[in-house]
Every structure is written in structure tokens, then in C-alpha cells.
Amino acid sequence: GEGRPLEPVERSADDLGHLADSIVRAGALLAARAARRDRPRLALLAAIVDSSDDAIVSSGIDGLITSWNAAAEAIYGYSATEAVGQHAEFILEADRRSDEAMILRAFVASQGSNGSSASMHHQTVQRRKDGTTFPASVMFSAIRADDGALIGTSSIARDITERLRAEAELSSRLAELERANQYLETFTYSVSHDLRAPLRGLAGFTAALMEDCGDALGADGRDYAERIQAASGRMAALIDDLLQLSRLWR
């Protein structure tokens, strides 16, 4: 016979409940699988952070510290218990906090919500728990949720006191070397002008002596005169070599 029109079948509350439960269980199962898949990677990351010699600190968008590794404890003197929950600016001198806040805000603004992974590096001065300060090299990076939303920042800080001291010492040594080169240049030009004239005179008079009085000198006298000329030539060559060496050092 003529068919009856299809009518929607009403689901009972129990059916909807079972469906909701199934969705929740499926979501939990997927999350568990993802956790098992990511566990080795997260364990490796945690090991790297814990073993790093650099202070690695993460903060939320509000600036409150959420993690503080062992190196941060050693560098700043605060335990993780003391640091977590504090605002990240607490390791800065009071007169630097506004400038650092501007730098951090500019970094966060540059990240936006486009999933950018760019980092920012700068140098600053940080403060330890005992009140002493030190120069630090700091790298900011973005922390993002699975959907790419910015949820915080991480910073990697390194005490660069020894590096700056080494750079200053190197700069001082280079300045000393430059002064030494200038002294050497002055000396070589002095040698060139002050010794060349006597050498030329010595060689010239020896040649004239051999030419005008060669017979009277005898064999021994001529031999001595020839030795004087040869020594004068060698001395002139040494002066030329010294001048050439000074030009290579400039």
C-alpha cells in the first residue's frame, strides 16, 4: 500500500546520555594516546631543561612565573618554590623594571596570534637573592597552546660576567699590541733614517779607499776593505727587511 512519511525518531535522554558518554570516552582515549605518544619527547625536553647550565624560566601571559629550573636556582639563589608564582620582574633592579616590561610587551605584541616562532635576544642586568647584580644575556621565546594561541613566554638567561671580562681583557691586549706596533713603526723609521746615512758613508769611503789607495793597502788591507763593504751591504739588507716586516704588521 501507500507508504507512510518518515518521521524523526525521538532520542530518549538515556540515548543522549550514552552518546555524550561515548564522546567523552573517545576524547579521553585520544588524549591518552597523544599523551603516550608525546611522553618520550616531553621527558627528553624536561631532562634538557633540568640539566641546562642556563636559567630557563617560563611565565604566563600575566608575567607570573610557572616554571624555574635548577640552573635558575643556582644563578639567582631562589628555589623553585620561592620563585614560582612571583612576577618575572622580581629578578630585576627596580629602576630597570619598566624598561624590561616594555621590551617584553614589544616581544609579545610581535608574536600576536599568527603562530610566529621568532625569538628575541637582549642583554640586561639581573639581581640575585643576596642583592648582587650581574650582566645577563636573555633570549625570549613564545609558548603556545596546541591551537597556536600565545599562552606565555619562556626566557633563557646566562650570566655573562666572565665573557664580558674576557672581552675587556682582549680589548686591552689589542690596544697594547697596537701601541707596540706603533713603537715598532717609529723605531724602524728611525733605523731607516739614522743608520742608512752612516752605512752609505761607510760603504762609499771604503770604495774610495780601495780605488785610490788599493795598491798601498796590500792584499790584507784590500781584504779588510772588501769585508767592510760586504758587511755594510748585509746591514742595509737587514734594514730593508725590517722595514718590510713593519709594513706587513700594520
Side-chain angles (χ1 to χ4, degrees), residues 205-223:
F205 283 123
T206 302
L209 180 64
M210 292 180 63
E211 183 178 348
D212 297 341
C213 307
D215 294 338
L217 291 175
D220 289 342
R222 287 194 298 273
D223 180 60

mmCIF file with all atom_site columns, all heavy atoms in Angstrom, residues 205-223:
data_model
loop_
_atom_site.group_PDB
_atom_site.id
_atom_site.type_symbol
_atom_site.label_atom_id
_atom_site.label_alt_id
_atom_site.label_comp_id
_atom_site.label_asym_id
_atom_site.label_entity_id
_atom_site.label_seq_id
_atom_site.pdbx_PDB_ins_code
_atom_site.Cartn_x
_atom_site.Cartn_y
_atom_site.Cartn_z
_atom_site.occupancy
_atom_site.B_iso_or_equiv
_atom_site.pdbx_formal_charge
_atom_site.auth_seq_id
_atom_site.auth_comp_id
_atom_site.auth_asym_id
_atom_site.auth_atom_id
_atom_site.pdbx_PDB_model_num
ATOM 1   N N   . PHE A 1 205 ? 133.168 55.495 1.482  1.00 0.00 ? 205 PHE A N   1
ATOM 2   C CA  . PHE A 1 205 ? 134.567 55.765 1.816  1.00 0.00 ? 205 PHE A CA  1
ATOM 3   C C   . PHE A 1 205 ? 135.427 54.517 1.629  1.00 0.00 ? 205 PHE A C   1
ATOM 4   O O   . PHE A 1 205 ? 136.591 54.605 1.233  1.00 0.00 ? 205 PHE A O   1
ATOM 5   C CB  . PHE A 1 205 ? 134.682 56.271 3.256  1.00 0.00 ? 205 PHE A CB  1
ATOM 6   C CG  . PHE A 1 205 ? 134.264 57.713 3.404  1.00 0.00 ? 205 PHE A CG  1
ATOM 7   C CD1 . PHE A 1 205 ? 133.273 58.080 4.282  1.00 0.00 ? 205 PHE A CD1 1
ATOM 8   C CD2 . PHE A 1 205 ? 134.905 58.720 2.645  1.00 0.00 ? 205 PHE A CD2 1
ATOM 9   C CE1 . PHE A 1 205 ? 132.887 59.407 4.420  1.00 0.00 ? 205 PHE A CE1 1
ATOM 10  C CE2 . PHE A 1 205 ? 134.518 60.041 2.792  1.00 0.00 ? 205 PHE A CE2 1
ATOM 11  C CZ  . PHE A 1 205 ? 133.503 60.397 3.671  1.00 0.00 ? 205 PHE A CZ  1
ATOM 12  N N   . THR A 1 206 ? 134.853 53.338 1.910  1.00 0.00 ? 206 THR A N   1
ATOM 13  C CA  . THR A 1 206 ? 135.610 52.101 1.707  1.00 0.00 ? 206 THR A CA  1
ATOM 14  C C   . THR A 1 206 ? 135.897 51.894 0.234  1.00 0.00 ? 206 THR A C   1
ATOM 15  O O   . THR A 1 206 ? 137.010 51.495 -0.155 1.00 0.00 ? 206 THR A O   1
ATOM 16  C CB  . THR A 1 206 ? 134.823 50.901 2.256  1.00 0.00 ? 206 THR A CB  1
ATOM 17  O OG1 . THR A 1 206 ? 134.552 51.118 3.646  1.00 0.00 ? 206 THR A OG1 1
ATOM 18  C CG2 . THR A 1 206 ? 135.626 49.619 2.113  1.00 0.00 ? 206 THR A CG2 1
ATOM 19  N N   . ALA A 1 207 ? 134.905 52.157 -0.602 1.00 0.00 ? 207 ALA A N   1
ATOM 20  C CA  . ALA A 1 207 ? 135.111 52.025 -2.042 1.00 0.00 ? 207 ALA A CA  1
ATOM 21  C C   . ALA A 1 207 ? 136.165 53.008 -2.534 1.00 0.00 ? 207 ALA A C   1
ATOM 22  O O   . ALA A 1 207 ? 137.024 52.674 -3.374 1.00 0.00 ? 207 ALA A O   1
ATOM 23  C CB  . ALA A 1 207 ? 133.786 52.244 -2.779 1.00 0.00 ? 207 ALA A CB  1
ATOM 24  N N   . ALA A 1 208 ? 136.086 54.256 -2.034 1.00 0.00 ? 208 ALA A N   1
ATOM 25  C CA  . ALA A 1 208 ? 137.087 55.263 -2.435 1.00 0.00 ? 208 ALA A CA  1
ATOM 26  C C   . ALA A 1 208 ? 138.476 54.865 -1.958 1.00 0.00 ? 208 ALA A C   1
ATOM 27  O O   . ALA A 1 208 ? 139.480 55.056 -2.674 1.00 0.00 ? 208 ALA A O   1
ATOM 28  C CB  . ALA A 1 208 ? 136.695 56.628 -1.851 1.00 0.00 ? 208 ALA A CB  1
ATOM 29  N N   . LEU A 1 209 ? 138.565 54.321 -0.768 1.00 0.00 ? 209 LEU A N   1
ATOM 30  C CA  . LEU A 1 209 ? 139.856 53.886 -0.234 1.00 0.00 ? 209 LEU A CA  1
ATOM 31  C C   . LEU A 1 209 ? 140.473 52.799 -1.117 1.00 0.00 ? 209 LEU A C   1
ATOM 32  O O   . LEU A 1 209 ? 141.678 52.835 -1.424 1.00 0.00 ? 209 LEU A O   1
ATOM 33  C CB  . LEU A 1 209 ? 139.660 53.369 1.194  1.00 0.00 ? 209 LEU A CB  1
ATOM 34  C CG  . LEU A 1 209 ? 140.926 52.863 1.910  1.00 0.00 ? 209 LEU A CG  1
ATOM 35  C CD1 . LEU A 1 209 ? 141.928 54.002 2.114  1.00 0.00 ? 209 LEU A CD1 1
ATOM 36  C CD2 . LEU A 1 209 ? 140.551 52.244 3.261  1.00 0.00 ? 209 LEU A CD2 1
ATOM 37  N N   . MET A 1 210 ? 139.659 51.843 -1.533 1.00 0.00 ? 210 MET A N   1
ATOM 38  C CA  . MET A 1 210 ? 140.174 50.759 -2.374 1.00 0.00 ? 210 MET A CA  1
ATOM 39  C C   . MET A 1 210 ? 140.575 51.275 -3.756 1.00 0.00 ? 210 MET A C   1
ATOM 40  O O   . MET A 1 210 ? 141.551 50.812 -4.347 1.00 0.00 ? 210 MET A O   1
ATOM 41  C CB  . MET A 1 210 ? 139.117 49.663 -2.524 1.00 0.00 ? 210 MET A CB  1
ATOM 42  C CG  . MET A 1 210 ? 138.851 48.916 -1.230 1.00 0.00 ? 210 MET A CG  1
ATOM 43  S SD  . MET A 1 210 ? 137.591 47.637 -1.451 1.00 0.00 ? 210 MET A SD  1
ATOM 44  C CE  . MET A 1 210 ? 138.413 46.555 -2.637 1.00 0.00 ? 210 MET A CE  1
ATOM 45  N N   . GLU A 1 211 ? 139.808 52.261 -4.253 1.00 0.00 ? 211 GLU A N   1
ATOM 46  C CA  . GLU A 1 211 ? 140.107 52.786 -5.580 1.00 0.00 ? 211 GLU A CA  1
ATOM 47  C C   . GLU A 1 211 ? 141.365 53.651 -5.585 1.00 0.00 ? 211 GLU A C   1
ATOM 48  O O   . GLU A 1 211 ? 142.206 53.558 -6.490 1.00 0.00 ? 211 GLU A O   1
ATOM 49  C CB  . GLU A 1 211 ? 138.911 53.592 -6.083 1.00 0.00 ? 211 GLU A CB  1
ATOM 50  C CG  . GLU A 1 211 ? 139.096 54.125 -7.501 1.00 0.00 ? 211 GLU A CG  1
ATOM 51  C CD  . GLU A 1 211 ? 137.883 54.876 -7.992 1.00 0.00 ? 211 GLU A CD  1
ATOM 52  O OE1 . GLU A 1 211 ? 136.813 54.794 -7.332 1.00 0.00 ? 211 GLU A OE1 1
ATOM 53  O OE2 . GLU A 1 211 ? 137.983 55.550 -9.032 1.00 0.00 ? 211 GLU A OE2 1
ATOM 54  N N   . ASP A 1 212 ? 141.494 54.499 -4.580 1.00 0.00 ? 212 ASP A N   1
ATOM 55  C CA  . ASP A 1 212 ? 142.604 55.448 -4.566 1.00 0.00 ? 212 ASP A CA  1
ATOM 56  C C   . ASP A 1 212 ? 143.861 54.884 -3.932 1.00 0.00 ? 212 ASP A C   1
ATOM 57  O O   . ASP A 1 212 ? 144.982 55.287 -4.291 1.00 0.00 ? 212 ASP A O   1
ATOM 58  C CB  . ASP A 1 212 ? 142.201 56.729 -3.816 1.00 0.00 ? 212 ASP A CB  1
ATOM 59  C CG  . ASP A 1 212 ? 141.056 57.454 -4.511 1.00 0.00 ? 212 ASP A CG  1
ATOM 60  O OD1 . ASP A 1 212 ? 140.831 57.184 -5.717 1.00 0.00 ? 212 ASP A OD1 1
ATOM 61  O OD2 . ASP A 1 212 ? 140.352 58.252 -3.848 1.00 0.00 ? 212 ASP A OD2 1
ATOM 62  N N   . CYS A 1 213 ? 143.680 53.995 -2.963 1.00 0.00 ? 213 CYS A N   1
ATOM 63  C CA  . CYS A 1 213 ? 144.850 53.525 -2.216 1.00 0.00 ? 213 CYS A CA  1
ATOM 64  C C   . CYS A 1 213 ? 144.954 52.007 -2.234 1.00 0.00 ? 213 CYS A C   1
ATOM 65  O O   . CYS A 1 213 ? 145.515 51.404 -1.307 1.00 0.00 ? 213 CYS A O   1
ATOM 66  C CB  . CYS A 1 213 ? 144.785 54.025 -0.763 1.00 0.00 ? 213 CYS A CB  1
ATOM 67  S SG  . CYS A 1 213 ? 144.558 55.794 -0.594 1.00 0.00 ? 213 CYS A SG  1
ATOM 68  N N   . GLY A 1 214 ? 144.351 51.388 -3.225 1.00 0.00 ? 214 GLY A N   1
ATOM 69  C CA  . GLY A 1 214 ? 144.319 49.928 -3.239 1.00 0.00 ? 214 GLY A CA  1
ATOM 70  C C   . GLY A 1 214 ? 145.702 49.305 -3.240 1.00 0.00 ? 214 GLY A C   1
ATOM 71  O O   . GLY A 1 214 ? 145.944 48.321 -2.528 1.00 0.00 ? 214 GLY A O   1
ATOM 72  N N   . ASP A 1 215 ? 146.645 49.880 -4.031 1.00 0.00 ? 215 ASP A N   1
ATOM 73  C CA  . ASP A 1 215 ? 147.997 49.293 -4.093 1.00 0.00 ? 215 ASP A CA  1
ATOM 74  C C   . ASP A 1 215 ? 148.704 49.426 -2.761 1.00 0.00 ? 215 ASP A C   1
ATOM 75  O O   . ASP A 1 215 ? 149.454 48.518 -2.345 1.00 0.00 ? 215 ASP A O   1
ATOM 76  C CB  . ASP A 1 215 ? 148.797 49.985 -5.202 1.00 0.00 ? 215 ASP A CB  1
ATOM 77  C CG  . ASP A 1 215 ? 148.203 49.694 -6.579 1.00 0.00 ? 215 ASP A CG  1
ATOM 78  O OD1 . ASP A 1 215 ? 147.485 48.667 -6.700 1.00 0.00 ? 215 ASP A OD1 1
ATOM 79  O OD2 . ASP A 1 215 ? 148.438 50.492 -7.505 1.00 0.00 ? 215 ASP A OD2 1
ATOM 80  N N   . ALA A 1 216 ? 148.493 50.557 -2.082 1.00 0.00 ? 216 ALA A N   1
ATOM 81  C CA  . ALA A 1 216 ? 149.179 50.778 -0.810 1.00 0.00 ? 216 ALA A CA  1
ATOM 82  C C   . ALA A 1 216 ? 148.616 49.892 0.302  1.00 0.00 ? 216 ALA A C   1
ATOM 83  O O   . ALA A 1 216 ? 149.307 49.592 1.289  1.00 0.00 ? 216 ALA A O   1
ATOM 84  C CB  . ALA A 1 216 ? 149.068 52.246 -0.400 1.00 0.00 ? 216 ALA A CB  1
ATOM 85  N N   . LEU A 1 217 ? 147.367 49.473 0.186  1.00 0.00 ? 217 LEU A N   1
ATOM 86  C CA  . LEU A 1 217 ? 146.741 48.657 1.246  1.00 0.00 ? 217 LEU A CA  1
ATOM 87  C C   . LEU A 1 217 ? 147.338 47.253 1.315  1.00 0.00 ? 217 LEU A C   1
ATOM 88  O O   . LEU A 1 217 ? 147.366 46.643 2.380  1.00 0.00 ? 217 LEU A O   1
ATOM 89  C CB  . LEU A 1 217 ? 145.232 48.555 0.996  1.00 0.00 ? 217 LEU A CB  1
ATOM 90  C CG  . LEU A 1 217 ? 144.414 49.834 1.189  1.00 0.00 ? 217 LEU A CG  1
ATOM 91  C CD1 . LEU A 1 217 ? 142.960 49.584 0.793  1.00 0.00 ? 217 LEU A CD1 1
ATOM 92  C CD2 . LEU A 1 217 ? 144.487 50.307 2.643  1.00 0.00 ? 217 LEU A CD2 1
ATOM 93  N N   . GLY A 1 218 ? 147.750 46.793 0.190  1.00 0.00 ? 218 GLY A N   1
ATOM 94  C CA  . GLY A 1 218 ? 148.233 45.427 0.167  1.00 0.00 ? 218 GLY A CA  1
ATOM 95  C C   . GLY A 1 218 ? 147.071 44.431 0.149  1.00 0.00 ? 218 GLY A C   1
ATOM 96  O O   . GLY A 1 218 ? 145.895 44.801 0.214  1.00 0.00 ? 218 GLY A O   1
ATOM 97  N N   . ALA A 1 219 ? 147.419 43.186 0.077  1.00 0.00 ? 219 ALA A N   1
ATOM 98  C CA  . ALA A 1 219 ? 146.396 42.136 -0.017 1.00 0.00 ? 219 ALA A CA  1
ATOM 99  C C   . ALA A 1 219 ? 145.518 42.101 1.223  1.00 0.00 ? 219 ALA A C   1
ATOM 100 O O   . ALA A 1 219 ? 144.287 41.994 1.146  1.00 0.00 ? 219 ALA A O   1
ATOM 101 C CB  . ALA A 1 219 ? 147.050 40.774 -0.244 1.00 0.00 ? 219 ALA A CB  1
ATOM 102 N N   . ASP A 1 220 ? 146.109 42.172 2.392  1.00 0.00 ? 220 ASP A N   1
ATOM 103 C CA  . ASP A 1 220 ? 145.320 42.116 3.640  1.00 0.00 ? 220 ASP A CA  1
ATOM 104 C C   . ASP A 1 220 ? 144.423 43.340 3.769  1.00 0.00 ? 220 ASP A C   1
ATOM 105 O O   . ASP A 1 220 ? 143.246 43.240 4.154  1.00 0.00 ? 220 ASP A O   1
ATOM 106 C CB  . ASP A 1 220 ? 146.259 42.036 4.845  1.00 0.00 ? 220 ASP A CB  1
ATOM 107 C CG  . ASP A 1 220 ? 146.947 40.686 4.950  1.00 0.00 ? 220 ASP A CG  1
ATOM 108 O OD1 . ASP A 1 220 ? 146.455 39.711 4.320  1.00 0.00 ? 220 ASP A OD1 1
ATOM 109 O OD2 . ASP A 1 220 ? 147.967 40.593 5.652  1.00 0.00 ? 220 ASP A OD2 1
ATOM 110 N N   . GLY A 1 221 ? 144.962 44.522 3.437  1.00 0.00 ? 221 GLY A N   1
ATOM 111 C CA  . GLY A 1 221 ? 144.165 45.735 3.534  1.00 0.00 ? 221 GLY A CA  1
ATOM 112 C C   . GLY A 1 221 ? 142.959 45.695 2.596  1.00 0.00 ? 221 GLY A C   1
ATOM 113 O O   . GLY A 1 221 ? 141.848 46.102 2.968  1.00 0.00 ? 221 GLY A O   1
ATOM 114 N N   . ARG A 1 222 ? 143.191 45.245 1.354  1.00 0.00 ? 222 ARG A N   1
ATOM 115 C CA  . ARG A 1 222 ? 142.076 45.150 0.411  1.00 0.00 ? 222 ARG A CA  1
ATOM 116 C C   . ARG A 1 222 ? 141.027 44.137 0.892  1.00 0.00 ? 222 ARG A C   1
ATOM 117 O O   . ARG A 1 222 ? 139.818 44.349 0.738  1.00 0.00 ? 222 ARG A O   1
ATOM 118 C CB  . ARG A 1 222 ? 142.607 44.774 -0.975 1.00 0.00 ? 222 ARG A CB  1
ATOM 119 C CG  . ARG A 1 222 ? 143.334 45.924 -1.677 1.00 0.00 ? 222 ARG A CG  1
ATOM 120 C CD  . ARG A 1 222 ? 143.530 45.605 -3.154 1.00 0.00 ? 222 ARG A CD  1
ATOM 121 N NE  . ARG A 1 222 ? 144.370 44.419 -3.325 1.00 0.00 ? 222 ARG A NE  1
ATOM 122 C CZ  . ARG A 1 222 ? 145.714 44.463 -3.375 1.00 0.00 ? 222 ARG A CZ  1
ATOM 123 N NH1 . ARG A 1 222 ? 146.347 45.631 -3.261 1.00 0.00 ? 222 ARG A NH1 1
ATOM 124 N NH2 . ARG A 1 222 ? 146.405 43.358 -3.557 1.00 0.00 ? 222 ARG A NH2 1
ATOM 125 N N   . ASP A 1 223 ? 141.489 43.036 1.498  1.00 0.00 ? 223 ASP A N   1
ATOM 126 C CA  . ASP A 1 223 ? 140.558 42.032 2.026  1.00 0.00 ? 223 ASP A CA  1
ATOM 127 C C   . ASP A 1 223 ? 139.684 42.626 3.136  1.00 0.00 ? 223 ASP A C   1
ATOM 128 O O   . ASP A 1 223 ? 138.461 42.419 3.161  1.00 0.00 ? 223 ASP A O   1
ATOM 129 C CB  . ASP A 1 223 ? 141.334 40.824 2.552  1.00 0.00 ? 223 ASP A CB  1
ATOM 130 C CG  . ASP A 1 223 ? 140.413 39.760 3.114  1.00 0.00 ? 223 ASP A CG  1
ATOM 131 O OD1 . ASP A 1 223 ? 139.556 39.238 2.368  1.00 0.00 ? 223 ASP A OD1 1
ATOM 132 O OD2 . ASP A 1 223 ? 140.534 39.447 4.325  1.00 0.00 ? 223 ASP A OD2 1
#
